[in-house]
Amino acid sequence: MSKSGKIENRGGVIIIIIVGMLATMEVIKNNWEEEIAKASYKHVSYSNWYNAKSIKLIMKENQRDYLESLLASGVVQEGNSEDLIQRLEKTNMAILKYEEEKVELLEGSANIPKSSWSQDLDGEMGKIVGLKKWEQISTSYASQVAKINIGLLFLQISIVFGVVGLIIGDNLKLQQLFTNLMIGTGFIGIAIGLYAYSMFL
């Protein structure tokens, strides 16, 4: 077999390997993009949940201020003030609860003491992931997808070099050059893909 034929055979095998790696990295990227979509959805859901708690908290704080102003004004007779005081105590307890729930929704159950858990999820305590965590997950996956996209680009360029190397059968030097370029860019693409994947191991 001629030297050109050997280069073509080697190039063909390498192209097959690179195409396999390209397909594998595409699958990984698609899975990561699904995780980004899931994290983004959860982030929006938790944001709405957090904002709802904030609105309820503001309403209770306004109610507390109104009850305190009534008691301080002396408008309410002494015999009727006990009921207002009880309502004020309940309002203060509700305010405290909403504040604790907001902290848990923001930070996540794992990042606060167990004694501070106040918000359940489907009837279970300690299951709140937290706004910050969902944002972190989304950002982390987005960063890795960006890296793996660079790896995919190098692999695609590598395949182009390989195909050109196979086509140029008459010029041995050019064929060798494009084969080397294919190997080099393919190695870079695989290395970047493996680095991106290793960040989750």
Side-chain angles (χ1 to χ4, degrees):
M1 183 182 289
S2 66
K3 191 171 183 180
S4 176
K6 289 180 181 180
I7 293 172
E8 286 178 4
N9 287 342
R10 184 180 63 178
V13 171
I14 294 170
I15 287 174
I16 291 169
I17 294 170
I18 291 172
V19 168
M21 287 300 300
L22 185 69
T24 303
M25 285 168 63
E26 281 284 0
V27 171
I28 293 170
K29 186 187 88 161
N30 290 338
N31 288 337
W32 288 353
E33 286 175 341
E34 287 178 11
E35 291 297 327
I36 292 171
K38 177 185 172 184
S40 298
Y41 170 79
K42 289 288 187 180
H43 186 268
V44 171
S45 177
Y46 269 67
S47 294
N48 292 336
W49 199 0
Y50 182 86
N51 291 334
K53 296 291 182 184
S54 298
I55 292 168
K56 290 179 180 179
L57 176 60
I58 291 168
M59 290 173 66
K60 285 296 179 183
E61 286 174 340
N62 289 338
Q63 185 179 344
R64 175 201 60 195
D65 294 343
Y66 175 69
L67 292 171
E68 286 179 345
S69 65
L70 277 178
L71 287 169
S73 66
V75 173
V76 182
Q77 296 178 357
E78 286 187 16
N80 298 325
S81 63
E82 188 174 331
D83 180 53
L84 278 179
I85 291 170
Q86 289 179 355
R87 287 176 64 186
L88 181 59
E89 288 175 354
K90 288 180 180 178
T91 302
N92 283 329
M93 287 174 63
I95 288 170
L96 182 61
K97 185 174 186 299
Y98 285 134
E99 286 174 342
E100 288 177 345
E101 288 173 350
K102 281 183 65 180
V103 170
E104 189 169 359
L105 286 171
L106 184 65
E107 301 293 340
S109 303
N111 297 314
I112 61 173
K114 190 174 181 179
S115 58
S116 298
W117 290 353
S118 57
Q119 180 63 61
D120 70 288
L121 184 64
D122 298 328
E124 291 186 70
M125 302 298 288
K127 299 293 183 180
I128 302 298
V129 175
L131 257 173
K132 289 183 178 178
K133 183 63 177 179
W134 285 123
E135 185 176 1
Q136 179 188 341
I137 291 170
S138 179
T139 303
S140 176
Y141 274 109
S143 174
Q144 298 316 107
V145 166
K147 289 185 180 72
I148 210 168
N149 277 334
I150 295 171
L152 289 169
L153 176 63
F154 273 98
L155 289 180
Q156 289 164 352
I157 293 170
S158 174
I159 291 170
V160 172
F161 283 145
V163 171
V164 172
L166 291 176
I167 293 170
I168 306 172
D170 299 334
N171 192 321
L172 190 62
K173 286 185 178 180
L174 274 178
Q175 190 179 48
Q176 185 69 57
L177 172 65
F178 278 104
T179 301
N180 290 338
L181 286 171
M182 173 184 65
I183 294 170
T185 52
F187 178 78
I188 292 170
I190 292 169
I192 293 172
L194 290 174
Y195 170 71
Y197 184 71
S198 70
M199 299 298 286
F200 287 105
L201 297 180

